[in-house]
């Protein structure tokens, strides 16, 4: 609280550092904000919004990339929902998501809980080591894994053979190829989720754990009743990110299996790539992209609502 | 598609080409033109092609062709975006099975008038090579390579097994492969295979079509009808599944790249491949020889590996006429022989005399069997789905699934892709 100056003159607050500030009206502030936002908005507009709108327009045409595309109404969308290849890609993408999301999130959470323990030696080293795969390019990682599991020259196969285990040609086995590409994605991405969980864990006040201990809560009870509820926001974030990553699965599949063997790893994004860039059916690929976008938004919304309710229950 | 070449005397022949390049077919140029030419010849063949381009640029003053060398995969990945942005090349070379996809979408200029022009040097092109650039009876490109798949075999392993003559029929082929298959420790997994027959993603997708042809079968008829579900193809699949799985003459689950690796490691006595296998064998100190794929019960034929160059929509009339002049130059008497020697592929023109390419033994061997070559899926626009269906069929057949059911399924998929 300030008191009136003794001189009786009107009080003028000191000028902020950096010189005198010009009096801005709401319009002036708006302009300034627009000027600051302009570079980001321009980039977003040119590289995200405009291509998205273009793709939306193309999804109603027979565009191939050459010549003037013809408007064909909902034909592409009808094909998306009736083509058996797309049904196969949807099934594979769903399987990939169901395998990848829980495994990656559970592994990240388990390791974050372990490495959040201040008594653990070499914590810094392990934290860094677990994050390293995330920094590696996905395609480089995929190539490395392809060589590791190669039945002729693969190191993994060589070691396992020494233990009497025949791994076989996992990337050519229709039952093993999908788990293999999921494993590579888990290895590559869980380090990122691990760091997010670690940050979430460090935000939980230690006083709550101390109170729980005094109330006689054991380790499992503290995890169930303190850690997990207070991590729900972080969990929602990680789950949504993991699910989006799963729905967009492409890189390692393109490199390791090319969608095979016999379409068993053909995901929706692989199908989009193949339709657009191999068959030059840009209109159909655009429609498929929009259907994938809608599905992603819907699933994210469901998760938001689910975790939002949980948070309300806690409050 | 990878390609390695044996280059003997290419530079000299290219220089001769300059002297003999008086003719220039194709359209009329309306003025100076600078053209961009994308191709994927990255080995010694690339040097020979560059020599021909340089000779062409030097042979006249109006047209300059600038080459940009990319991998074949990169050309396929970037051509669409480059052309739709108006930044594409004027001329592009690509694997022949990808041509119809682009031509059907209007990405390439039609070249019928060029072919009809006597000075275009196209009159004596191999019919199979021309068929691979035809879509709905119109020609959209000029072939730069056409070679049937052939058997590349390890002569040292043949000698060690006491095999003196290369097999001529399927039965002899399997018998020879059995003789060359060695399972020293008796664990059921041979240490050395008689042959390596990939069951998917085969070299230029051509192994199984070649085997189907051998028994009188086919995949597509007249571009519009799927004919893959036939008793002939069923018998072919039964025969080779038995040889691969029961007789263990070849490993299973291998693709084309894996086959190359097994052969170059000396773990397979025979492989099916293209001219680059010659230099791969040499690099790996493997003594090799080349033979045609043995005759099946009905025919002796081999799917051909093809590459062709087309004029894109980004080329205006002037650039197109200039490109046609270059094509005529590329196909002239001297360059036809020089390119064959330099690229290691047989001559594209049937009137190139055998003695013109005898200095390169690989070319000489491949030229002898050039007549066996059949273009793969000529004119089929949706080759992506057709080839995927063949891959799935052969892989599942070798894995032991019901062949009749698989053929019926493949028939439906292929017909769906053609409709």
């Amino acid at each position: 609280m300030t008191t009136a100056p003794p001189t009786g003159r009107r009080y003028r607050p000191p000028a902020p550092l950096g010189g005198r500030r010009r009096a801005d009206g709401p319009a002036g502030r708006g302009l300034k904000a627009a000027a600051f936002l302009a570079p980001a908005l321009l980039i977003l507009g040119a590289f995200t919004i405009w291509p998205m709108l273009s793709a939306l327009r193309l999804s109603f045409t027979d565009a191939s990339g050459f010549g003037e595309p013809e408007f064909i109404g909902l034909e592409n969308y009808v094909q998306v929902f009736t083509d058996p290849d797309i049904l196969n890609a949807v099934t594979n993408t769903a399987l990939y998501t169901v395998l990848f999301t829980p495994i990656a999130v559970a592994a990240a959470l388990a390791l974050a809980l372990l490495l959040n323990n201040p008594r653990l030696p070499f914590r810094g080293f392990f934290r860094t080591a677990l994050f390293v795969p995330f920094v590696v390019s996905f395609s480089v990682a995929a190539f490395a894994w392809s060589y590791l599991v190669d039945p002729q020259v693969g190191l993994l196969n060589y070691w396992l053979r020494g233990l009497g285990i025949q791994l076989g040609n996992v990337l050519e086995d229709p039952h093993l190829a999908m788990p293999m590409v999921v494993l590579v994605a888990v290895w590559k991405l869980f380090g990122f989720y691990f760091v997010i969980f670690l940050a979430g864990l460090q935000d939980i006040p230690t006083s709550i754990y101390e109170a729980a201990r005094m109330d006689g809560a054991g380790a499992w009870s503290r995890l169930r009743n303190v850690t997990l509820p207070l991590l729900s926001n972080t969990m929602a974030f990680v789950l949504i990110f993991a699910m989006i990553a799963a729905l967009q699965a492409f890189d390692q599949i393109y490199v390791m299996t090319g969608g095979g063997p016999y379409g068993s790893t053909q995901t929706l994004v692989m199908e989009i790539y193949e339709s657009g860039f191999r068959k030059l059916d840009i209109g159909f690929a655009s429609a498929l992209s929009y259907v994938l976008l809608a599905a992603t938004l819907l699933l994210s919304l469901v998760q938001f609502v689910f975790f939002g309710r949980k948070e309300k229950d806690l409050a | 598609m990878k390609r390695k070449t044996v280059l003997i005397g290419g530079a000299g022949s290219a220089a001769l080409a300059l002297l003999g390049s008086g003719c220039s077919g194709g359209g009329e140029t309306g003025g100076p033109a600078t053209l961009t030419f994308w191709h994927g010849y990255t080995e010694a063949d690339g040097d020979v092609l560059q020599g021909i381009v340089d000779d062409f640029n030097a042979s006249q003053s109006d047209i300059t062709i600038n080459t940009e060398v990319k991998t074949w995969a990169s050309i396929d990945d970037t051509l669409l975006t480059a052309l739709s942005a108006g930044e594409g090349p004027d001329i592009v070379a690509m694997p022949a099975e990808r041509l119809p996809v682009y031509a059907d979408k209007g990405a390439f200029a039609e070249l019928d008038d060029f072919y009809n022009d006597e000075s275009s040097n196209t009159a004596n092109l191999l019919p199979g090579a021309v068929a691979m650039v035809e879509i709905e009876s119109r020609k959209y490109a000029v072939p730069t390579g056409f070679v049937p798949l052939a058997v590349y075999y390890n002569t040292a392993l043949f000698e060690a097994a006491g095999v003196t003559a290369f097999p001529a029929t399927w039965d002899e082929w399997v018998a020879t492969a059995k003789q060359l298959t060695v399972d020293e420790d008796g664990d059921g997994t041979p240490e050395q295979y008689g042959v390596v027959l990939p069951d998917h993603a085969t070299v230029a997708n051509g192994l199984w079509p070649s085997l189907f042809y051998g028994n009188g079968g086919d995949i597509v008829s007249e571009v519009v009808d799927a004919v893959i579900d036939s008793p002939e193809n069923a018998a072919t699949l039964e025969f080779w599944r038995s040889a691969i799985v029961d007789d263990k003459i070849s490993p299973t689950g291998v693709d084309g790249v894996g086959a190359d690796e097994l052969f170059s490691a000396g773990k397979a006595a025979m492989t099916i491949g293209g001219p680059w296998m010659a230099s791969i064998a040499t690099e790996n100190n493997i003594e090799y020889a080349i033979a045609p794929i043995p005759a099946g019960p009905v025919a002796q034929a081999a799917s051909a590996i093809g590459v062709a160059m087309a004029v894109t929509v980004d080329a205006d009339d002037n650039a197109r006429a200039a490109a046609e002049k270059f094509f005529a130059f590329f196909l002239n008497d001297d360059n036809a022989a020089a390119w064959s020697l330099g690229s290691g592929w047989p001559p594209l023109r049937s009137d190139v005399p055998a003695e013109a390419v005898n200095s390169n033994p690989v070319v000489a061997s491949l030229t002898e069997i050039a007549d066996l070559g059949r273009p793969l899926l000529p004119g089929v626009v949706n080759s992506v789905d057709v080839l995927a269906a063949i891959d799935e069929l052969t892989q599942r057949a070798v894995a032991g699934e019901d062949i009749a059911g698989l053929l019926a399924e493949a028939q439906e998929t292929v017909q769906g892709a053609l409709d």
Side-chain angles (χ1 to χ4, degrees):
Chain A
M1 191 176 210
T2 54
T3 50
T7 54
R9 279 190 298 174
R10 218 176 137 197
Y11 170 72
R12 274 174 61 188
L17 289 175
R20 278 185 66 189
R21 196 164 64 93
R22 274 188 299 175
D24 279 346
R29 279 202 298 276
L31 268 177
K32 266 190 184 166
F36 277 112
L37 285 173
L41 283 176
L42 269 177
I43 292 171
L44 196 69
F47 295 107
T48 306
I49 310 289
W50 186 77
M52 277 182 74
L53 292 175
S54 289
L56 182 63
R57 182 177 61 82
L58 291 175
S59 72
F60 297 104
T61 70
D62 65 350
S64 66
F66 311 105
E68 204 47 47
E70 227 172 83
F71 180 76
I72 55 167
L74 291 172
E75 213 174 284
N76 287 327
Y77 287 93
V78 171
Q79 196 190 334
V80 167
F81 290 103
T82 52
D83 190 329
D85 287 346
I86 304 302
L87 182 66
N88 174 53
V90 168
T91 312
N92 288 337
T93 308
L95 177 64
Y96 183 99
T97 309
V98 167
L99 287 173
F100 170 79
T101 312
I103 295 173
V105 173
L109 180 61
L111 285 161
L113 287 168
L114 184 70
L115 291 171
N116 195 38
N117 184 348
R119 283 169 298 177
L120 194 81
F122 307 114
R123 261 198 327 163
F125 169 77
F126 285 122
R127 285 177 179 183
T128 312
L130 290 174
F131 191 68
V132 165
F134 183 69
V135 184
V136 179
S137 141
F138 218 143
S139 39
V140 170
F143 272 115
W145 274 97
S146 296
Y147 280 109
L148 273 177
V149 299
D150 186 284
Q152 314 294 339
V153 295
L155 208 54
L156 204 60
N157 262 298
Y158 175 75
W159 286 335
L160 289 175
R161 264 201 300 273
L163 298 172
I165 301 168
Q166 290 286 350
L167 193 58
N169 196 345
V170 283
L171 296 179
E172 302 300 345
D173 185 325
H175 304 295
L176 295 178
M178 180 61 93
M180 189 63 227
V181 293
V182 169
L183 177 75
V184 173
V186 170
W187 175 84
K188 165 78 177 72
L189 295 174
F190 92 101
F192 175 67
Y193 311 136
F194 157 78
V195 168
I196 305 290
F197 275 129
L198 209 53
L201 287 171
Q202 286 171 2
D203 268 354
I204 300 174
T206 46
S207 57
I208 301 180
Y209 287 112
E210 281 160 14
R213 262 198 206 95
M214 287 173 74
D215 287 342
W220 172 244
S221 176
R222 286 200 302 277
L223 173 69
R224 215 162 58 88
N225 299 308
V226 178
T227 310
L228 291 181
L230 290 174
L231 264 186
S232 65
N233 274 342
T234 312
M235 182 69 83
F237 175 83
V238 169
L239 273 175
I240 289 170
F241 260 66
M243 193 200 67
I244 291 174
L247 290 173
Q248 293 183 339
F250 175 76
D251 308 47
Q252 87 279 26
I253 296 173
Y254 178 78
V255 171
M256 296 176 79
T257 65
Y262 17 109
S264 62
T265 57
Q266 183 82 350
T267 57
L268 275 170
V269 181
M270 280 293 293
E271 199 66 49
I272 291 169
Y273 165 77
E274 206 161 85
S275 301
F277 291 93
R278 300 282 296 161
K279 300 180 192 168
L280 310 185
D281 202 347
I282 300 289
F284 177 71
S286 302
L288 191 51
S289 304
Y290 263 92
V291 172
L292 178 61
L293 175 70
T296 310
L297 280 177
L298 190 72
L299 285 170
S300 303
L301 198 67
V302 168
Q303 290 192 14
F304 264 125
V305 171
F306 176 75
F307 282 99
R309 272 201 192 145
K310 272 196 119 179
E311 211 175 334
K312 249 187 202 168
D313 292 346
L314 273 173
Chain B
M1 185 186 299
K2 56 187 172 173
R3 184 166 302 103
K4 305 207 173 175
T5 58
V6 178
L7 170 61
I8 302 172
S13 304
L16 281 175
L18 173 61
L19 298 171
S21 62
C23 73
S24 57
E28 292 303 314
T29 48
T34 302
L35 275 60
T36 310
F37 176 18
W38 286 9
H39 67 79
Y41 292 104
T42 52
E43 305 285 336
D45 44 12
D47 297 337
V48 178
L49 184 57
Q50 187 59 50
I52 295 175
V53 169
D54 290 342
D55 291 346
F56 174 73
N57 289 342
S59 70
Q60 39 72 49
S61 54
D62 280 343
I63 306 162
T64 305
I65 293 180
N66 296 318
T67 53
E68 282 185 26
V69 185
K70 296 162 171 268
T71 63
W72 297 111
S74 164
I75 289 174
D76 205 9
D77 280 343
T78 53
L79 186 63
L80 167 68
T81 43
L83 288 180
S84 49
E87 299 290 329
D90 300 286
I91 305 171
V92 63
M94 60 167 46
E97 67 268 21
R98 295 293 295 151
L99 265 173
V101 186
Y102 286 90
D104 180 65
K105 304 288 182 189
F108 297 147
E110 188 194 309
L111 296 175
D112 280 359
D113 288 345
F114 168 72
Y115 272 84
N116 291 333
D117 186 336
E118 274 180 25
S119 62
S120 66
N121 297 321
T122 54
N124 292 310
L125 280 173
L126 298 173
V130 176
M132 76 181 182
V133 301
E134 275 183 344
I135 297 102
E136 292 178 357
S137 305
R138 291 182 183 148
K139 299 175 185 73
Y140 285 91
V142 168
T144 59
F146 185 80
V147 61
L149 286 175
V151 183
Y152 292 75
Y153 62 99
N154 186 322
T155 49
L157 295 182
F158 266 59
E159 214 170 290
V163 183
T164 49
F166 192 81
T169 65
W170 279 8
D171 288 332
E172 289 174 18
W173 195 11
V174 172
T176 306
K178 275 189 197 167
Q179 209 176 329
L180 285 155
T181 300
V182 180
D183 181 10
E184 271 172 6
D185 55 12
D187 66 350
T189 305
E191 287 77 40
Q192 175 189 303
Y193 289 96
V195 62
V196 52
L197 298 172
D199 57 19
H200 68 287
T202 65
V203 175
N205 302 293
L207 170 63
W208 290 90
S210 303
L211 298 176
F212 290 149
Y213 303 152
N215 197 29
D218 210 329
I219 299 153
V220 172
S221 167
E222 302 293 327
V223 184
V224 289
D225 291 323
V227 292
I228 194 162
D229 187 6
S230 65
E232 292 82 8
N233 287 350
T236 302
L237 288 169
E238 287 285 3
F239 180 91
W240 288 105
R241 175 165 75 185
S242 164
I244 294 169
V245 179
D246 303 336
D247 298 334
K248 292 191 171 67
I249 60 165
S250 163
T252 55
V254 181
D255 62 9
V257 176
D260 283 4
E261 285 169 0
L262 279 174
F263 182 74
S264 53
K267 288 186 171 181
M270 293 179 267
T271 189
I272 318 304
W276 58 86
M277 282 314 298
S279 41
I280 288 182
T282 307
E283 278 166 23
N284 289 281
N285 298 318
I286 287 175
E287 291 168 35
Y288 69 94
I290 302 171
I293 292 179
V298 176
Q300 184 168 29
S303 177
I305 310 161
V307 183
M309 55 185 169
V311 184
T312 73
V313 284
D314 277 7
D316 58 21
D317 287 348
N318 191 33
R320 183 179 154 179
E324 289 179 356
K325 278 187 179 291
F326 170 68
F327 292 164
F329 181 85
F330 175 81
L331 294 172
N332 74 23
D333 294 359
D334 297 313
N335 284 334
W339 173 240
S340 171
L341 285 168
S343 65
W345 290 44
L348 290 157
R349 281 174 42 178
S350 56
D351 57 340
V352 173
E355 55 269 24
V357 293
N358 269 352
S359 57
N360 183 332
V362 175
V363 176
S365 300
L366 292 172
T367 304
E368 277 175 30
I369 61 171
D371 290 344
L372 302 178
R374 290 195 197 176
L376 179 66
L377 303 174
V380 173
V381 172
N382 191 356
S383 55
V384 174
D385 283 347
V386 176
L387 293 173
I390 299 171
D391 260 2
E392 181 168 347
L393 164 71
T394 53
Q395 200 170 8
R396 290 171 67 175
V398 173
E401 291 191 37
D402 171 52
I403 285 175
L406 290 173
L407 280 170
E409 216 176 290
Q411 172 80 12
E412 200 180 325
T413 312
V414 173
Q415 192 58 60
L418 299 175
D419 290 341

